[in-house]
């Protein structure tokens, strides 16, 4: 089969070296010069323009397919250097995939070299605000009058601002320390509780590119966790991930 | 692959991590592509359901139009 029948299209997961051996039945390598795109055939009944618009409103569908996208990239990353694409890159024709590889060869080749032999680790820091405030120790006086009540309200307000500033300092300091053990790193905006579903506040949402096999960054995260644990701040490491955070052209990051 | 003392990766792939990586990062295609989440607002309709967070949504939309 050369071209997809009209009921299907081509979903692009990412780009690898043309010489990469990926050994996966459901995936195809579309080579063009030194690069190859990893694609699979997907039904237009789900991935057509209008159909996908509907599916994207379906949280379960979106999560399932985002997970499948990640699963393919993880299997690729285990055997080859890979430049991950964002979810939802779909072409009607394989020829268009070849054109993509030709037209963006410079950028994609540079991205491939940037991540070769490296992995991405995630570090998130979570703050239990109550524990953190308690650890600060300066208990507020009980109000004994209306005036004292207003005083206390003002004190609480100032204190909340101070706590927020301190948590920000801790997150910035942690990111700087983690960067010293990384080739590159980025502190993405922390997510709100509505998205995390956790009681603790996310104060650091970092991603770091490190040499495969280099455990120094994970060690630093563990040290941070040990230092700040008693104050209610936990550091969690995830990965290794495919290098999602380190393949966009740098001036756009 | 490195062998960190961490849970297996499949257990780490929470919805949050998918948002941080698969949906929010990676090479973005535009142009002749039939569909790309980067140049189609539709995905933000889906993400509205997914994220249920006005602040996050605003950020995604401002990134998309940046």
């Amino acid at each position: 089969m050369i071209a997809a029948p009209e009921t299907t299209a081509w979903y692009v997961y990412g780009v690898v070296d043309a010489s990469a051996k990926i050994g996966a039945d459901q995936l195809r390598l579309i080579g063009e010069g030194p690069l190859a795109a990893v694609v699979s055939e997907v039904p237009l009944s789900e991935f057509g323009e209008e159909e996908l618009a509907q599916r994207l409103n379906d949280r379960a569908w979106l999560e399932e397919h985002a997970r499948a996208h990640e699963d393919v990239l993880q299997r690729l990353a285990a055997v080859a250097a890979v430049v991950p694409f964002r979810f939802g890159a779909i072409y009607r024709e394989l020829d268009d995939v070849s054109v993509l590889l030709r037209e963006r060869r410079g950028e994609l080749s540079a991205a491939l070299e940037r991540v070769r032999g490296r992995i991405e680790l995630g570090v998130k820091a979570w703050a239990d605000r109550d524990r953190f405030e308690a650890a600060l120790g300066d208990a507020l006086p009980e109000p004994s009058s209306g005036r004292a009540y207003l005083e206390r309200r003002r004190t609480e307000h100032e204190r909340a601002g101070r706590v927020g500033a301190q948590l920000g300092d801790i997150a910035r300091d942690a990111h700087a320390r983690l960067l010293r053990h990384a080739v590159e790193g980025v502190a993405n905006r922390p997510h709100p509780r509505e998205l995390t579903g956790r009681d603790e506040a996310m104060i650091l949402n970092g991603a770091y590119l490190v040499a495969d096999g280099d455990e120094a960054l994970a060690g630093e995260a563990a040290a941070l966790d040990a230092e700040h644990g008693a104050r209610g701040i936990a550091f969690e490491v995830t990965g290794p991930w495919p290098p999602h955070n380190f393949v966009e052209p740098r001036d756009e990051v | 692959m490195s062998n960190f003392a961490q849970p297996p990766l499949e257990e780490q792939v929470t919805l949050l991590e998918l948002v941080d990586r698969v949906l929010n990062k990676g090479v973005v295609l535009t142009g002749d592509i039939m569909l790309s989440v980067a140049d189609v607002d539709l995905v933000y309709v889906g993400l509205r359901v997914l994220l249920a967070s006005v602040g996050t949504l605003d950020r995604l939309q401002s990134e998309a139009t940046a």
Side-chain angles (χ1 to χ4, degrees):
Chain A
M1 183 167 48
I2 301 301
E6 295 205 329
T7 54
T8 62
W10 298 97
Y11 186 104
V12 187
Y13 297 92
V15 165
V16 296
D17 292 307
S19 58
K21 299 280 182 289
I22 59 168
D25 294 343
Q26 304 301 315
L27 302 174
R28 287 183 62 165
L29 276 182
I30 306 303
E32 175 69 37
L35 301 174
V38 181
V39 306
S40 72
E41 202 166 3
V42 291
L44 283 174
S45 60
E46 283 189 273
F47 288 89
E49 220 162 336
E50 287 175 23
E51 292 80 0
L52 188 56
Q54 297 300 316
R55 303 284 181 173
L56 291 173
N57 286 304
D58 178 345
R59 175 181 159 154
W61 186 94
L62 184 58
E63 179 171 355
E64 179 192 339
H65 288 82
R67 202 172 285 283
H69 179 107
E70 174 63 18
D71 187 54
V72 166
L73 286 169
Q74 286 187 10
R75 283 187 284 128
L76 288 171
V79 297
V82 60
V83 175
F85 279 18
R86 198 175 296 200
F87 180 83
I90 300 154
Y91 283 96
R92 221 177 265 284
E93 306 290 342
L94 282 182
D95 284 350
D96 296 331
V97 178
S98 298
V99 170
L100 154 77
L101 292 176
R102 211 158 44 234
E103 289 184 345
R104 293 180 65 171
R105 177 182 297 177
E107 174 201 332
L108 291 169
S109 294
L112 200 53
E113 293 316 311
R114 185 177 171 193
V115 302
R116 190 183 301 283
R118 295 166 173 166
I119 57 161
E120 177 176 320
L121 291 177
V123 180
K124 287 179 166 65
W126 303 87
D128 178 335
R129 247 186 122 99
D130 290 343
R131 266 182 74 192
F132 184 75
E133 284 199 55
L136 289 180
D138 47 339
L140 296 173
E142 286 300 314
S144 56
S145 67
R147 184 185 181 85
Y149 173 77
L150 290 176
E151 286 285 329
R152 181 183 164 127
R153 284 289 299 274
R154 188 177 305 123
T155 307
E156 281 176 349
H157 186 73
E158 287 169 3
R159 182 177 163 124
R162 210 163 69 235
V163 166
Q166 288 193 13
L167 289 174
D169 286 345
I170 289 171
R172 265 188 301 279
D173 173 63
H175 179 60
R177 280 173 59 179
L178 291 165
L179 274 178
R180 289 205 282 271
H181 302 281
V183 179
E184 289 181 59
V186 57
N188 292 312
R189 179 184 286 211
H191 294 298
R193 284 194 182 80
E194 292 86 342
L195 179 54
T196 67
R198 288 174 60 152
D199 290 336
E200 308 98 310
M202 190 192 294
I203 61 170
L204 175 66
N205 186 17
Y208 305 89
L209 190 67
V210 303
D212 192 3
D214 183 350
E215 305 201 6
L217 184 124
E220 185 72 17
L224 284 162
D225 188 70
E227 285 171 38
H228 293 288
R231 292 199 284 168
I233 299 171
F235 288 79
E236 294 177 357
V237 180
T238 59
W241 301 99
H244 299 270
N245 276 274
F246 302 99
V247 293
E248 291 171 83
R250 282 168 228 233
D251 58 353
E252 285 177 28
V253 170
Chain B
M1 278 301 191
S2 309
N3 187 20
F4 295 103
Q6 291 158 28
L9 199 50
E10 58 266 31
E11 290 175 21
Q12 300 179 31
V13 186
T14 60
L15 188 55
L16 199 58
E17 298 292 345
L18 290 174
V19 169
D20 271 345
R21 300 197 151 76
V22 175
L23 298 177
N24 223 356
K25 297 288 174 173
V27 170
V28 173
L29 301 181
T30 52
D32 292 336
I33 194 162
M34 183 170 122
L35 186 88
S36 158
V37 298
D39 58 12
V40 173
D41 279 344
L42 301 175
V43 75
Y44 301 110
V45 179
L47 285 175
R48 193 190 303 276
V49 178
L50 186 68
L51 305 183
S53 161
V54 173
T56 306
L57 186 67
D58 287 346
R59 177 175 60 85
L60 290 169
Q61 283 173 336
S62 65
E63 278 183 5
T65 55

